[in-house]
Amino acid sequence: MASPIKDNSSTFGLGSILLHWVIALTIIGMYPLGLYIDSLTYYDEAYNIVPAWHESIGIILLAFLAMRFLWRAINKAPAPLPQPKPVLLITKAVHLLLYLLPVITVASGYMITTADGRPISVFNWFEVPALPAISDNQEDLAGEVHFWVATFMISLAGLHALAALKHHYIDKDKTLTRMLSVQSEAKQ
Amino acid sequence: MNLKAIIAGTILAGSFTAAQAADYVIDTQGAHASINFRIQHLGYSWVQGRFNEFDGNFSYDAASPEASTVSVTIKTPSVDSNHAKRDKHLRGDDFLAVEDFPEAKFESTAFTPAADGTAVLSGNLTLHGVTKPVDITVTTIGEGKDPWGGYRAGFSGTTELKLKDFDINYNLGPASASVFLDLNVEGVRK
């Protein structure tokens, strides 16, 4: 059976599944990495290199987020599986936030690093230039936003994962499996 | 404010005799004063920074310098080492904790001229919530009329602070236990 790349009305294609998991695993990795960076002190060997990785991964993540939005725009999303209306609304809100919050997190992270005009070097491969700072203490404000939005996002991602497990084990529907592998039409 | 200051200044000038100390406001408006600091980086070089926002006054008379007094308030969030991420770290709890201690203060207690033209300015410095006596070595640069109808006097000063004395305990290495303050002060007579 050929795996469809694009989504259709009942299943996710390979494109959406890959983008979802690449981004999800990156975010799940980046959050503890950020906390670890906060815990580093001056004489830790990782003091310089790990923040540089975190920043580089963040920029690459932004590219994947952009691809995901583009992919979502040119695909027709599969219809949500049946749920009570209030749950459906909450699901919709969480999904929207999980699109939005990573962008805010990456943007605020970029604003910390580039606050004084220094570019971000992505794995010494290419540089992302700084935009003009929008406030005097941009690194402080952006730092607060970065931490709290990331924390909110990772909490929502936890809720999102619990909801997927609930669908799988309690509702016994296809919500989780259709994001794990491309489902054939006949199985729906 | 300007007119008031001029009137007050005129009255003051009229009521004081020449021998009495004059009061100066530190010229932060024209940035003819700066509070700089330097600290060793790993023992290999100096990192230089400054506090961009502060204000203060001093009273000085060349005829009786021992009567001089100085008072300066520094806004600690204005710390600037020309590196945003380092400044963010400096403002945080590892160093200045500016949310808890938004101001640092210096109030002089004595001014002791030395024979070589320098002087020692003693006073209490409150930094990071800790008040400690410090001695600042002061050099008189000069004083006199400015081209715009005012009268100015200027000094430079330097002192060494041990970070531990002010309860700043972040380990920057053995070469970086002390920070040096380099002060440039120009006052406009009130």
Side-chain angles (χ1 to χ4, degrees):
Chain A
M1 181 200 73
S3 300
I5 302 294
K6 292 188 73 171
D7 303 340
N8 63 44
S9 61
S10 65
T11 88
F12 287 107
L14 199 58
S16 290
I17 291 172
L18 283 177
L19 282 168
H20 171 271
W21 285 107
V22 166
I23 289 166
L25 293 175
T26 304
I27 288 172
I28 291 165
M30 285 286 267
Y31 188 76
L33 193 63
L35 294 179
Y36 172 65
I37 287 169
D38 237 12
S39 79
L40 289 172
T41 63
Y42 208 61
Y43 276 77
D44 286 315
E45 251 180 86
Y47 186 79
N48 283 318
I49 194 67
V50 173
W53 289 345
H54 186 84
E55 290 158 12
S56 298
I57 295 168
I59 295 295
I60 291 167
L61 176 61
L62 184 64
F64 275 95
L65 289 169
M67 276 196 272
R68 189 160 190 228
F69 296 150
L70 191 69
W71 193 247
R72 174 61 34 251
I74 62 172
N75 278 265
K76 192 183 179 318
L81 294 166
Q83 293 195 90
K85 188 121 200 209
V87 183
L88 208 58
L89 282 175
I90 293 169
T91 301
K92 189 104 188 147
V94 170
H95 287 173
L96 272 175
L97 283 170
L98 286 175
Y99 274 101
L100 180 67
L101 298 181
V103 177
I104 298 176
T105 307
V106 172
S108 56
Y110 166 85
M111 286 170 75
I112 302 171
T113 306
T114 61
D116 56 11
R118 286 176 169 78
I120 294 178
S121 170
V122 179
F123 292 119
N124 293 323
W125 169 27
F126 63 93
E127 282 194 346
V128 179
L131 290 171
I134 54 170
S135 90
D136 240 10
N137 53 345
Q138 174 168 302
E139 60 274 21
D140 297 330
L141 298 175
E144 292 285 311
V145 170
H146 192 62
F147 174 74
W148 289 109
V149 172
T151 301
F152 181 42
M153 170 180 68
I154 208 77
S155 311
L156 276 185
L159 180 69
H160 178 67
L162 286 177
L165 293 175
K166 177 234 173 212
H167 276 280
H168 192 70
Y169 290 109
I170 297 172
D171 302 337
K172 299 194 191 305
D173 66 19
K174 291 262 177 222
T175 301
L176 180 59
T177 50
R178 75 177 183 175
M179 191 43 101
L180 286 170
S181 62
V182 178
Q183 309 284 304
S184 72
E185 298 278 346
K187 277 157 94 184
Q188 292 305 302
Chain B
M1 185 253 144
N2 261 343
L3 186 64
K4 243 170 119 181
I6 291 164
I7 293 168
T10 314
I11 294 168
L12 271 175
S15 63
F16 277 61
T17 62
Q20 272 173 308
D23 292 323
Y24 292 81
V25 59
I26 293 173
D27 186 17
T28 49
Q29 202 153 19
H32 297 113
S34 56
I35 296 176
N36 308 290
F37 60 85
R38 59 192 153 89
I39 187 164
Q40 290 247 330
H41 181 231
L42 305 170
Y44 306 147
S45 70
W46 291 101
V47 168
Q48 181 98 49
R50 65 187 188 199
F51 291 94
N52 288 328
E53 290 169 32
F54 59 97
D55 53 58
N57 297 282
F58 64 85
S59 159
Y60 175 79
D61 178 9
S64 55
E66 65 287 343
S68 303
T69 59
V70 184
S71 162
V72 177
T73 303
I74 300 167
K75 303 256 183 270
T76 54
S78 72
V79 66
D80 179 0
S81 70
N82 195 26
H83 192 302
K85 282 191 288 184
R86 177 166 59 213
D87 295 344
K88 181 175 187 292
H89 195 192
L90 291 177
R91 283 190 285 263
D93 289 342
D94 283 336
F95 294 98
L96 295 167
V98 301
E99 279 188 20
D100 295 328
F101 310 110
E103 286 188 348
K105 266 193 170 62
F106 176 79
E107 293 283 348
S108 70
T109 52
F111 189 85
T112 318
D116 63 354
T118 66
V120 175
L121 174 65
S122 305
N124 291 314
L125 176 67
T126 305
L127 175 67
H128 196 238
V130 180
T131 303
K132 282 265 151 75
V134 297
D135 286 338
I136 302 172
T137 308
V138 174
T139 307
T140 306
I141 310 279
E143 65 175 305
K145 286 179 185 159
D146 67 26
W148 317 286
Y151 190 94
R152 292 167 187 256
F155 309 86
S156 67
T158 182
T159 190
E160 176 182 353
L161 307 176
K162 291 202 167 24
L163 291 176
K164 268 200 166 52
D165 286 349
F166 293 90
D167 202 23
I168 297 172
N169 298 309
Y170 192 83
N171 179 25
L172 290 169
S176 311
S178 283
V179 61
F180 292 80
L181 291 183
D182 296 316
L183 315 164
N184 295 301
V185 175
E186 180 181 287
V188 183
R189 198 154 74 184
K190 291 184 192 173

